[in-house]
Amino acid sequence: MVLILSLIPIAQPVASVQAEDSSTYTSLIVHYQEDPNTTQDWNLWVWADGAEGQVHNFTDEDAFGKIARVDLDGAHERFGFIVRTDEWEKDGGDRWADVEAGVAEVWIKSGDDTVYTEPPDGEYRDFPSFNEVDLTVHYYRYDNNYEGWDLWAWPGSGDGQTVEFTSEDDFGKTAEVTLTDEEAFDRIGLIVRKNEGDNDWADREFGDRIIRQIQEDGKAEIWLVQGEEGIYYDPNHIDRDPKILRAAIDGLNEITLTTNFPIDTSLENPGIELSGGLDIESIKPVNEEETLTTQVIITTKQEIDLTKTYKVITDVFGEATIQVGKVVRSEAFDEEYFYDGDDLGNTYTEQQTDFKVWAPTASEAMLVTYDAWDDAAGSEMAMEKGEKGTWTASLSGDQDGLLYTYKVKIGDEWREAVDPYVRSTSVNGDKGAVIDLDETDPAGWDNGKGFTSSPHPEDAIIYELHVRDLSIQPESGIEEKGKYLGVSELKTTGPEGVRTGLNHIKDLGVSHVQFLPIYDYRTVDETKLDTPQFNWGYDPKNYNVPEGSYATDPYDPDVRVTELKEMIHTLHQENLGVVMDVVYNHMYAVNESNFNQLVPGYYFRYNEDGTLANGTGVGNDTASERRMMEKFIVDSVSYWAEEYKMNGFRFDLMGIHDTDTMNAVREALDEIDPSIIVLGEGWDLNTPLDPERKANQKNAEDMPRVAHFNDTLRDGAKGSVWEDTDPGFINGKQGMEAIMKQSVAGGLDYDDSTATYRDPDQVVQYVEAHDNLTLWDKLEKTNPDASENDKIAMHKLGSSIVLTSQGISFIHAGQEFMRTKGGDHNSYQSPDSVNQLDWERRAEFDEEVDYMKGLIDLRQRFEAFRLTDAEEIEDRLSFIKAPRNVVAYTLEEKKNRNLLVIHNANKGAAAVKLPGKGPWKVLVDSEDAGTKILAIRHGDRVKVKGLSSMVLLKDGKLK
């Protein structure tokens, strides 16, 4: 049986608002303030919500910046847009603009992901002023009931007056009035109100509405529509034809219907039915208090089959295909369709390759195979429906090298995507590839020799590196510049004969190399590698595929895999572990992502109002709390750990994820190799997830053996990364002793509102990373008048604090030779001249490199710097009395020995009373560091030079 929706009747045929030669359109106006130092030719990639995108150029300019006006046919509620170049370098992520009265007008700034609906720095536009304005108001009511309705209008800050509707046209009623005031005005205020009897204010539509668009001849003309608060300045922005704006399945037996005119849910007149054999149980307004509404919930008697296509059919609003909506984000959906198999993607053998994709909302699916990377069309093969929303296909014979994609039919639309589980791709990652992974293993790959891991993460000293940065400078002495193979080159040298590349890293003495993203990312065009291009790579495209721009041949799917393995193998042979930077928290763009193409709306997190969450600040957050997203993250990490023998994973913006997912990652990796390190950015980010579930520092106690970057030590040492000139302990801020004491002891005593670290293996100690200013550039900002020697001293003091603190030590590549990026805070797409490791600077700061080498040697030699639990730190680390701006503490070392660590942040020398009789052996002072004895102190005090650290060793107990 089909039940019928009650609708407000339209009393007369609906007249077309548009002229016969015009049609409805919607406008987007973007004001863009670009970086004044940019050399990029920016444009916009624009799409109406749910539609395909197109390129649009900036065509005008004003005092704020560039202006683009985009007019798209049809009535739209929201636009998405990306500021980008033709090479797909982006300034920010997906941005959204909501339409009001046919127009979405926004202001954006380079480096700022906020979308402003008003000028962000105050009004700059010059609006003309008048003493007299002729105003014409057109008003349309869908119920055709104009009785009692009039206007209250006023000029600027002048007095108001009643304005009657005195005529009518094809649109509706019309009012005309001339508003005057002795004081010039540049705006008009307006209220639509209703009078009953003697009450002129018996009802009103919304509140004050302000008209700003007054023509130079002193005339203003506007159009108003019942139930809409916005002011229309162009009648072609109005679509009065009754229509369904959206019909979406939001529950397994629930459909939300949205129309452009209200529905009176209190009436019983027939008006709606559903196709496909669905019977209606009830129809209710979304807001129960509003019986007159443009949005209703239709409850069905039967559970809806999400793989079928249904229509909603109405007497007044026409018909529309019902889309799959937020049902995919329900617990019921996860329960119904969660697939726990280990065979998603392609499974290759020489005899046959099997394909399986998870697309539970698709009604059909195709395997599409291609002969070449640039083929526009391929051969299609129908896939069979499997369990739990999966689709399968098989091809017999040896399919090594085959290029393929999946096509799925969602509603009425066919959508194509690269397999999310694919292991390699064609150039630029646009087509998946079947490969024989066994054939990509380098010689000796499985011999078990090489990197010797420690069961204790605290033993790690991690060196953060970008593949391209290491070798791209001409002076690097490396042949394969910017490539995986460039990292693999041994015994390279540069200016003045200094070691470069891997030769330098090995000599430095670190234990692990952490690479900025080496998965396939979106923002380097692999077909144009002869043109210099740079990006950090935090723009994921294909998670399980190596980035092709670092390979010598990005067109051959085998090469990127083979050469990455060769790089890792070489590092392992040099006894260096490899940590991979993974970015599962967002994707480059939602609409084009393989996730959203295959299962729209599932893999990403949404706000209550249906907009994409943006805790990442780049336009979208993935939803790790959904079971198939969690499964993908765990499967992906496990794949990289097993196939590429990774020794650690650094989770970008880990605070976007949930604690259950991070614990599942830790559990899966423990089954592969418990020594694999898991670390991440545990920031508290503004994403719609229960605060107690967020994988951030405040919930560290819920994620054992998952480490977090300790921004408290970072900012305590050098000052806030958000304020350039804010100093910290090493560069002049007073009163920092208490927080530095807590920090060097592993942060285990931080207030729980800061972090709940319960073990030192949960803490990554650092003062510099790829983000924000380098430490050297920060010192240039905080201490602009300091001498170079003083800045060097502060810099060494910062590194000394890191390498003598409890937890996991972390160094940014080039930190050892005072790396500078010329003050660039965010060099994610800056040129090589900014990002490259400067081997000439390495030669210039040779003594400082030796100092860092000595600190690393010291940390690795003495176990007391690497205590493995909170109880040990409590028992073996003791702070001693020290002067202002000095932090001093003892560490009980093995074999009845004791270490004394002193950090003096004063410009002048400080005397510290020794905690026991000598002799004390000096291992670190302002000039040298290491395990060799530099001097012996016998007195009861030791003098530590300004802006320096000292480490002393005593044999025997303290007395």
Side-chain angles (χ1 to χ4, degrees):
M1 174 180 179
V2 176
L3 298 184
I4 305 298
L5 172 64
S6 302
L7 302 170
I8 266 197
I10 294 181
Q12 62 180 23
V14 180
S16 174
V17 175
Q18 292 76 37
E20 290 183 5
D21 59 348
S22 301
S23 60
T24 304
Y25 70 95
T26 312
S27 300
L28 169 69
I29 303 172
V30 177
H31 302 262
Y32 171 52
Q33 189 177 90
E34 66 181 4
D35 184 334
N37 298 317
T38 187
T39 59
Q40 306 294 344
D41 185 13
W42 300 106
N43 55 42
L44 292 178
W45 183 261
V46 178
W47 65 94
D49 196 6
E52 294 296 318
Q54 290 182 327
V55 176
H56 295 272
N57 293 315
F58 292 99
T59 56
D60 203 353
E61 196 164 354
D62 64 10
F64 181 81
K66 293 184 173 182
I67 303 172
R69 181 183 177 106
V70 178
D71 296 330
L72 295 184
D73 289 342
H76 305 288
E77 295 182 295
R78 192 167 69 139
F79 289 107
F81 65 97
I82 298 169
V83 179
R84 41 80 86 182
T85 66
D86 288 338
E87 290 73 34
W88 273 102
E89 294 183 40
K90 295 194 301 182
D91 185 356
D94 294 12
R95 291 177 167 102
W96 293 92
D98 292 322
V99 174
E100 181 177 283
V103 179
E105 185 170 16
V106 296
W107 286 257
I108 58 172
K109 292 183 170 186
S110 177
D112 180 354
D113 285 304
T114 305
V115 177
Y116 300 93
T117 56
E118 298 287 344
D121 301 317
E123 187 56 74
Y124 64 91
R125 295 167 293 178
D126 185 19
F127 293 95
S129 296
F130 305 89
N131 293 104
E132 180 178 295
V133 172
D134 294 327
L135 172 66
T136 302
V137 179
H138 304 267
Y139 183 45
Y140 169 70
R141 293 189 61 82
Y142 64 86
D143 60 6
N144 204 34
N145 182 7
Y146 295 93
E147 184 176 353
W149 289 98
D150 62 21
L151 303 172
W152 182 256
W154 62 95
S157 56
D159 295 331
Q161 65 184 77
T162 300
V163 181
E164 302 284 351
F165 293 104
T166 56
S167 61
E168 61 182 272
D169 56 18
D170 287 343
F171 184 82
K173 296 293 184 180
T174 303
E176 296 179 310
V177 63
T178 299
L179 297 170
T180 62
D181 195 29
E182 292 182 0
E183 182 178 343
F185 57 93
D186 63 3
R187 67 190 67 194
I188 296 170
L190 186 76
I191 296 173
V192 179
R193 65 177 188 172
K194 185 177 185 180
N195 60 72
E196 294 180 358
D198 294 333
N199 184 359
D200 290 338
W201 295 89
D203 196 4
R204 67 166 69 183
E205 269 207 323
F206 309 107
D208 296 2
R209 302 189 221 196
I210 305 300
I211 301 168
R212 295 305 305 269
Q213 294 189 26
I214 303 174
Q215 303 304 313
E216 292 184 0
D217 61 359
K219 298 182 185 298
E221 186 172 17
I222 65 169
W223 287 259
L224 304 176
V225 177
Q226 177 188 3
E228 295 189 34
E229 189 171 6
I231 297 172
Y232 289 93
Y233 294 97
D234 182 345
N236 288 323
H237 280 147
I238 305 169
D239 185 358
R240 281 194 309 159
D241 295 333
K243 64 178 55 180
I244 296 168
L245 299 179
R246 180 173 169 81
I249 303 169
D250 288 340
L252 291 179
N253 66 336
E254 184 178 289
I255 297 166
T256 303
L257 174 68
T258 305
T259 57
N260 62 337
F261 295 138
I263 299 167
D264 189 343
T265 58
S266 67
L267 299 179
E268 297 180 358
N269 294 331
I272 190 172
E273 62 184 24
L274 302 174
S275 70
L278 288 179
D279 298 323
I280 298 174
E281 178 72 36
S282 65
I283 300 169
K284 296 180 180 179
V286 170
N287 185 340
E288 294 182 0
E289 297 178 0
E290 298 179 0
T291 56
L292 189 64
T293 179
T294 58
Q295 196 169 56
V296 298
I297 296 174
I298 304 169
T299 302
T300 63
K301 291 183 177 180
Q302 302 90 352
E303 187 170 292
I304 301 169
D305 184 346
L306 299 180
T307 65
K308 291 185 177 180
T309 301
Y310 302 95
K311 289 184 179 294
V312 57
I313 305 163
T314 72
D315 291 347
V316 174
F317 296 98
E319 64 181 51
T321 299
I322 303 172
Q323 306 297 323
V324 176
K326 62 184 179 182
V327 63
V328 297
R329 301 191 286 276
S330 66
E331 290 185 11
F333 182 85
D334 263 350
E335 285 294 324
E336 180 77 16
Y337 293 107
F338 174 70
Y339 177 70
D340 62 357
D342 62 359
D343 55 351
L344 290 172
N346 72 75
T347 303
Y348 167 85
T349 66
E350 289 186 6
Q351 293 74 38
Q352 176 176 301
T353 298
D354 299 324
F355 300 85
K356 182 173 287 189
V357 62
W358 186 72
T361 60
S363 57
E364 298 179 61
M366 296 279 188
L367 174 67
V368 187
T369 59
Y370 294 88
D371 293 328
W373 69 271
D374 55 353
D375 280 353
S379 300
E380 297 182 355
M381 172 183 177
M383 302 183 77
E384 294 183 4
K385 190 174 182 180
E387 62 178 321
K388 295 291 186 178
T390 60
W391 297 84
T392 63
S394 295
L395 293 175
S396 59
D398 190 346
Q399 301 299 330
D400 185 18
L402 178 75
L403 300 181
Y404 75 100
T405 61
Y406 298 126
K407 287 177 80 171
V408 295
K409 189 178 183 182
I410 309 290
D412 291 332
E413 180 186 8
W414 279 98
R415 306 159 72 100
E416 188 168 8
V418 175
D419 186 345
Y421 277 81
V422 77
R423 280 79 172 240
S424 194
T425 62
S426 63
V427 67
N428 278 334
D430 292 330
K431 294 178 175 68
V434 176
I435 62 171
D436 182 352
L437 285 168
D438 290 340
E439 293 298 314
T440 64
D441 294 345
W445 181 247
D446 292 320
N447 65 15
K449 298 177 182 178
F451 177 63
T452 304
S453 61
S454 167
H456 304 299
E458 297 90 344
D459 291 337
I461 301 174
I462 298 172
Y463 189 79
E464 185 190 37
L465 178 68
H466 187 280
V467 169
R468 185 177 177 91
D469 291 355
L470 184 71
S471 57
I472 200 66
Q473 191 188 44
E475 291 79 9
S476 69
I478 297 170
E479 292 184 10
E480 293 288 357
K481 288 181 170 55
K483 304 299 182 183
Y484 298 124
L485 296 184
V487 181
S488 303
E489 292 181 35
L490 301 170
K491 299 182 179 180
T492 58
T493 57
E496 300 180 29
V498 298
R499 299 170 188 257
T500 62
L502 181 55
N503 195 11
H504 167 78
I505 298 170
K506 178 64 177 176
D507 182 57
L508 198 59
V510 297
S511 66
H512 292 71
V513 180
Q514 176 181 298
F515 288 96
L516 270 70
I518 51 176
Y519 54 73
D520 181 48
Y521 58 83
R522 177 66 168 77
T523 39
V524 167
D525 187 344
E526 296 171 7
T527 68
K528 299 178 180 179
L529 295 184
D530 290 338
T531 302
Q533 301 176 72
F534 181 90
N535 204 282
W536 280 345
Y538 293 92
D539 294 312
K541 184 169 183 177
N542 294 296
Y543 280 114
N544 293 344
V545 177
E547 167 58 18
S549 66
Y550 303 143
T552 58
D553 183 1
Y555 293 87
D556 185 335
D558 281 358
V559 172
R560 61 181 71 200
V561 177
T562 299
E563 292 182 351
L564 175 56
K565 285 183 175 180
E566 288 178 4
M567 182 191 83
I568 294 169
H569 185 56
T570 301
L571 289 166
H572 284 170
Q573 293 296 105
E574 296 298 312
N575 200 25
L576 287 164
V578 179
V579 179
M580 181 179 181
D581 197 332
V582 290
V583 189
Y584 298 110
N585 61 79
H586 77 281
M587 291 199 76
Y588 176 78
V590 171
N591 279 2
E592 69 176 54
S593 70
N594 45 16
F595 282 157
N596 210 59
Q597 287 291 92
L598 292 170
V599 194
Y602 178 80
Y603 287 99
F604 296 91
R605 196 172 287 152
Y606 290 78
N607 298 309
E608 283 294 325
D609 63 1
T611 59
L612 284 162
N614 189 25
T616 61
V618 292
N620 64 86
D621 305 345
T622 55
S624 63
E625 68 276 16
R626 292 190 198 116
R627 294 182 68 185
M628 289 303 287
M629 187 67 215
E630 176 187 299
K631 172 181 168 57
F632 180 84
I633 293 172
V634 173
D635 287 350
S636 179
V637 169
S638 298
Y639 168 71
W640 284 103
E642 291 183 304
E643 185 62 35
Y644 289 87
K645 302 185 179 181
M646 292 294 178
N647 309 108
F649 295 91
R650 179 261 191 196
F651 277 76
D652 182 68
L653 299 185
M654 184 171 69
I656 289 292
H657 302 316
D658 66 292
T659 55
D660 288 344
T661 295
M662 293 312 303
N663 286 328
V665 166
R666 179 70 271 175
E667 182 179 349
L669 293 176
D670 282 346
E671 293 182 7
I672 298 167
D673 179 357
S675 73
I676 294 174
I677 299 170
V678 177
L679 66 155
E681 293 181 303
W683 316 139
D684 188 3
L685 300 166
N686 184 25
T687 190
L689 183 67
D690 183 343
E692 294 185 358
R693 297 185 65 191
K694 291 181 178 180
N696 60 38
Q697 297 172 94
K698 296 176 183 178
N699 297 321
E701 63 183 352
D702 299 327
M703 295 173 285
R705 298 178 54 243
V706 173
H708 303 250
F709 283 89
N710 185 6
D711 57 339
T712 303
L713 182 142
R714 179 198 68 193
D715 289 358
K718 69 177 182 180
S720 171
V721 298
W722 308 114
E723 297 179 40
D724 284 0
T725 58
D726 178 54
F729 176 72
I730 67 172
N731 46 351
K733 184 179 283 189
Q734 304 296 301
M736 298 298 292
E737 298 90 341
I739 196 66
M740 293 309 297
K741 285 181 179 179
Q742 287 184 319
S743 297
V744 300
L748 305 180
D749 290 331
Y750 289 154
D751 187 90
D752 284 358
S753 63
T754 298
T756 59
Y757 305 140
R758 298 296 180 250
D759 192 280
D761 69 6
Q762 293 183 292
V763 187
V764 178
Q765 306 283 34
Y766 75 119
V767 289
E768 176 179 325
H770 71 273
D771 279 320
N772 311 120
L773 293 172
T774 67
L775 179 54
W776 183 264
D777 290 345
K778 174 71 171 177
L779 296 174
E780 295 269 25
K781 301 285 188 181
T782 58
N783 304 79
D785 299 325
S787 68
E788 179 166 286
N789 285 338
D790 278 351
K791 283 182 282 194
I792 291 172
M794 295 176 203
H795 199 289
K796 289 162 63 178
L797 177 58
S799 295
S800 298
I801 290 170
V802 168
L803 287 160
T804 55
S805 292
Q806 300 300 317
I808 301 168
S809 293
F810 181 96
I811 302 165
H812 181 218
Q815 180 179 331
E816 65 274 19
F817 48 84
M818 319 287 134
R819 184 174 184 174
T820 176
K821 296 183 184 179
D824 193 330
H825 296 76
N826 187 20
S827 65
Y828 75 100
Q829 61 178 11
S830 299
D832 291 326
S833 58
V834 172
N835 284 295
Q836 66 191 5
L837 287 184
D838 185 347
W839 297 107
E840 292 181 326
R841 191 173 177 87
R842 156 66 185 92
E844 178 185 353
F845 288 95
D846 189 60
E847 291 181 359
E848 287 68 35
V849 174
D850 283 342
Y851 193 86
M852 182 74 86
K853 287 167 58 178
L855 290 171
I856 291 170
D857 187 27
L858 176 82
R859 181 176 183 85
Q860 292 175 335
R861 180 71 61 87
F862 293 102
E863 174 261 355
F865 290 119
R866 300 172 280 110
L867 301 177
T868 58
D869 61 52
E871 185 177 350
E872 274 198 308
I873 293 173
E874 178 72 24
D875 292 344
R876 296 172 59 182
L877 188 154
S878 301
F879 291 99
I880 66 172
K881 187 175 180 180
R884 289 179 58 188
N885 302 319
V886 177
V887 171
Y889 55 95
T890 61
L891 287 164
E892 292 183 18
E893 177 60 23
K894 290 180 177 180
K895 299 180 180 178
N896 197 26
R897 296 186 294 175
N898 286 274
L899 292 161
L900 171 61
V901 181
I902 305 168
H903 301 302
N904 177 18
N906 294 290
K907 284 200 69 176
V912 176
K913 182 177 175 58
L914 294 168
K917 292 182 179 180
W920 287 89
K921 303 169 184 175
V922 178
L923 304 178
V924 176
D925 61 16
S926 62
E927 302 298 325
D928 297 290
T931 56
K932 295 180 180 179
I933 299 170
L934 304 176
I936 297 177
R937 299 287 183 256
H938 291 281
D940 65 348
R941 290 178 179 274
V942 65
K943 183 177 286 188
V944 182
K945 286 187 178 181
L947 302 176
S948 76
S949 296
M950 180 174 280
V951 179
L952 304 96
L953 174 67
K954 172 181 166 56
D955 295 318
K957 294 182 179 180
L958 296 176
K959 297 180 181 178

